[in-house]
Amino acid sequence: MARGGGRQRGGSSGGGSSSREQEEDVDRSLEELSEEEEEEVIIPRHTDGRMILDPTGLWFKSQTVVRGVTTSTQENMTHGVTCWSNSSDENKEMWFNNFRRVFYCPTDLERLLWQRYNDIGKKRLRDNMYKVSRRKKAPSFMKGASYEEFTKYRNSPEFKEGSARNKINKRGGEKDAEVEPTHYGGSQSFHDRVLSSAKKNKGKMPTIVDLFVDTHTKKTSKGKLIFRKAKDQDLYDRFLVRKKNNPDIDDNELWFDLVEGFQRGDVYGAGTAKELYYDPPARRGPSSQQQSYTPGIVSQL
């Protein structure tokens, strides 16, 4: 885990065998970013030495923080975890505590911190475990029998059946169909697009509808917006009708009602930026039909 906010230099000196160098290359590939890509920033510190997390400063857009999430899930990995969903609540709490040993967050942002940590943790653990599956040897962070349990599960009929089913589902039920992108956002996350837009507009955040249009359409040479999917065009048209009939209601609130709030923890069209707009529901809260609109902490700020 990142220590002290400075760079960590983990490479080896020359002279090792080619097999050793290959092994080190694989281990480095499991890291979130290469050293050359790591950002040069002055990181604010709490009195106890931890790096301070704040949506208006150092946050999950930072490479340092994302790498901290990745590393926190690698500590104490002593059994065959394959993905976030099959990890126990105890494991997730342990990983979160690992993360908090290095990063400090104000008490009033704890809920937002947990939400964002879960979002990033899912992706980083998934990508990390996929890379592990591509190699023939246990990485250094998998202790004891964890690697054996991991490979045993991935080779099981249960896993292979589910994997094959998911591949077909991603292709709309057609085994050989191409997987169509869901948006035009490129490699930049929705979260980062919002922050970039706010920076360009003197701190003013785009509405969730602005974000939806930005990430789900492209412009023709004549300036006409083209949605990738017909259902997205229909959704946008329905929003415009609601806005016309309710001009005084906040766009974010209208959108939240239109897409029926949180669905499986996500708000349609918001992607990784959902916590910037909406306060997440309680873990075992009401169904989407009963959800009420509550502005996110960041949008209130």
Side-chain angles (χ1 to χ4, degrees):
M1 191 173 290
R3 307 284 181 188
R7 289 189 171 194
Q8 293 188 1
R9 304 187 178 276
S12 62
S13 59
S17 66
S18 60
S19 61
R20 176 59 180 169
E21 291 171 353
Q22 291 173 353
E23 181 180 342
E24 289 175 347
D25 286 342
V26 172
D27 283 336
R28 280 195 293 271
S29 73
L30 294 174
E31 296 180 358
E32 170 63 17
L33 297 160
S34 68
E35 184 175 336
E36 288 73 22
E37 293 173 312
E38 189 170 0
E39 58 193 4
E40 292 283 2
V41 295
I42 298 175
I43 300 177
R45 299 279 170 170
H46 189 253
T47 54
D48 60 12
R50 289 181 291 169
M51 289 177 271
I52 298 175
L53 292 176
D54 189 295
T56 61
L58 183 67
W59 196 240
F60 288 86
K61 65 183 183 295
S62 165
Q63 298 167 358
T64 300
V65 180
V66 172
R67 177 172 288 178
V69 175
T70 302
T71 309
S72 70
T73 62
Q74 294 177 351
E75 292 189 8
N76 311 113
M77 187 178 284
T78 57
H79 67 289
V81 171
T82 58
C83 64
W84 200 258
S85 60
N86 82 343
S87 304
S88 66
D89 289 342
E90 289 75 16
N91 269 326
K92 294 171 187 175
E93 183 176 357
M94 174 184 65
W95 293 336
F96 187 51
N97 287 333
N98 290 341
F99 179 77
R100 290 174 53 172
R101 289 205 310 268
V102 176
F103 297 94
Y104 167 83
C105 183
T107 304
D108 59 342
L109 296 178
E110 281 284 335
R111 188 178 182 185
L112 181 62
L113 175 67
W114 172 247
Q115 177 79 21
R116 190 62 177 149
Y117 179 83
N118 271 264
D119 288 343
I120 299 297
K122 290 176 185 178
K123 296 178 176 65
R124 299 316 313 137
L125 184 63
R126 178 195 63 201
D127 293 347
N128 219 1
M129 292 299 97
Y130 174 75
K131 291 175 182 177
V132 170
S133 72
R134 304 295 293 177
R135 59 180 290 164
K136 304 298 183 183
K137 187 176 181 180
S140 59
F141 64 83
M142 297 190 81
K143 309 297 183 182
S146 59
Y147 181 70
E148 287 74 14
E149 292 180 27
F150 172 77
T151 53
K152 181 179 179 180
Y153 175 70
R154 287 190 61 89
N155 290 325
S156 68
E158 174 189 2
F159 176 83
K160 291 182 177 180
E161 180 182 345
S163 178
R165 183 172 59 251
N166 291 337
K167 288 179 181 178
I168 293 176
N169 290 339
K170 289 179 180 178
R171 290 164 171 77
E174 297 291 336
K175 182 178 180 181
D176 299 322
E178 293 185 5
V179 179
E180 293 187 7
T182 58
H183 55 82
Y184 293 106
S187 60
Q188 187 180 35
S189 71
F190 284 26
H191 181 275
D192 289 356
R193 290 179 80 87
V194 171
L195 297 178
S196 296
S197 177
K199 186 176 181 179
K200 293 177 182 178
N201 291 283
K202 299 180 179 180
K204 183 181 178 181
M205 282 179 59
T207 68
I208 186 64
V209 183
D210 293 335
L211 176 66
F212 179 72
V213 171
D214 179 40
T215 55
H216 289 75
T217 67
K218 62 180 180 180
K219 285 185 177 181
T220 65
S221 58
K222 296 182 179 180
K224 182 180 179 181
L225 294 177
I226 303 296
F227 281 87
R228 177 172 287 279
K229 294 184 177 182
K231 74 170 187 177
D232 291 337
Q233 176 72 68
D234 177 66
L235 193 63
Y236 181 65
D237 290 342
R238 287 162 56 198
F239 167 80
L240 293 179
V241 172
R242 292 198 180 195
K243 184 63 178 177
K244 183 178 180 180
N245 295 330
N246 303 276
D248 297 328
I249 299 181
D250 179 71
D251 285 7
N252 296 336
E253 182 175 356
L254 281 175
W255 184 265
F256 188 81
D257 181 64
L258 177 64
V259 299
E260 299 184 349
F262 282 90
Q263 301 288 331
R264 296 183 179 180
D266 293 317
V267 177
Y268 189 77
T272 56
K274 59 182 179 290
E275 84 282 353
L276 299 180
Y277 293 97
Y278 307 110
D279 188 27
R283 190 170 186 177
R284 291 182 174 82
S287 64
S288 61
Q289 288 77 11
Q290 298 171 310
Q291 292 177 22
S292 59
Y293 166 72
T294 307
I297 294 174
V298 177
S299 63
Q300 294 180 55
L301 292 175

